[in-house]
Amino acid sequence: MVTTEDLVRLRRARDRMNREYAQPLDVAALAGTALMSPGHFQRSFRAAFGETPYSYLMTRRVERAKALLRRGDLTVTEVCMEVGCTSLGSFSSRFTELVGETPSAYRARSHESGASIPACVARTFTRPRRAAKPTSWP
């Protein structure tokens, strides 16, 4: 169970991830922000927010990458580095997992249909979510 005091500290770390998503952030640094040990931080973060700190951070990075890819003026590699990822392969894998298509395919697709939607509404509907994994038939 996450205490109210722990929740305040966890939100501080989550806010840091939202602000500094492009910076190299590791569990130890984030745990320090929350004034917790790394193990306690990871367990408490998952209990409070339903996902690991790494998963949350990568979702923020993919969310920002989608916006940069829609602009179309940066390559996929440049976007990868811009959002704080150091491995193009890991970035592409995570992007594909969350969005359901590769960064290159996402960049190449037309995004004009959503241009008239206010940004605050668009963020709600374009937030990356894990793509459903196909089930195999026995």
Side-chain angles (χ1 to χ4, degrees):
M1 183 171 139
V2 180
T3 66
T4 304
E5 185 178 312
D6 282 350
L7 191 55
V8 169
R9 293 178 191 172
L10 291 167
R11 284 183 181 151
R12 192 176 305 132
R14 187 182 65 178
D15 290 346
R16 181 178 179 192
M17 284 187 261
N18 289 335
R19 279 190 319 272
E20 301 175 21
Y21 65 88
Q23 303 302 316
L25 295 172
D26 60 10
V27 171
L30 294 168
T33 300
L35 305 174
M36 297 177 177
S37 71
H40 182 65
F41 172 72
Q42 284 187 295
R43 287 187 302 276
S44 298
F45 192 96
R46 184 179 195 114
F49 302 118
E51 61 185 325
T52 65
Y54 176 77
S55 178
Y56 182 84
L57 178 61
M58 285 305 295
T59 301
R60 295 292 74 73
R61 287 176 173 172
V62 168
E63 185 175 54
R64 181 63 182 142
K66 286 176 68 177
L68 293 173
L69 290 168
R70 280 192 302 269
R71 276 191 354 205
D73 61 336
L74 298 174
T75 66
V76 172
T77 302
E78 290 170 331
V79 169
C80 169
M81 299 302 161
E82 185 75 22
V83 298
C85 295
T86 55
S87 165
L88 182 59
S90 296
F91 167 74
S92 294
S93 295
R94 188 60 162 205
F95 188 97
T96 303
E97 177 186 343
L98 293 172
V99 178
E101 63 184 321
T102 65
S104 298
Y106 185 84
R107 183 179 184 268
R109 187 166 48 84
S110 173
H111 299 281
E112 291 181 15
S113 63
S116 62
I117 300 171
C120 58
V121 174
R123 271 193 299 275
T124 301
F125 291 100
T126 61
R127 176 157 281 156
R129 301 196 193 321
R130 277 195 165 71
K133 294 190 180 190
T135 57
S136 59
W137 295 93

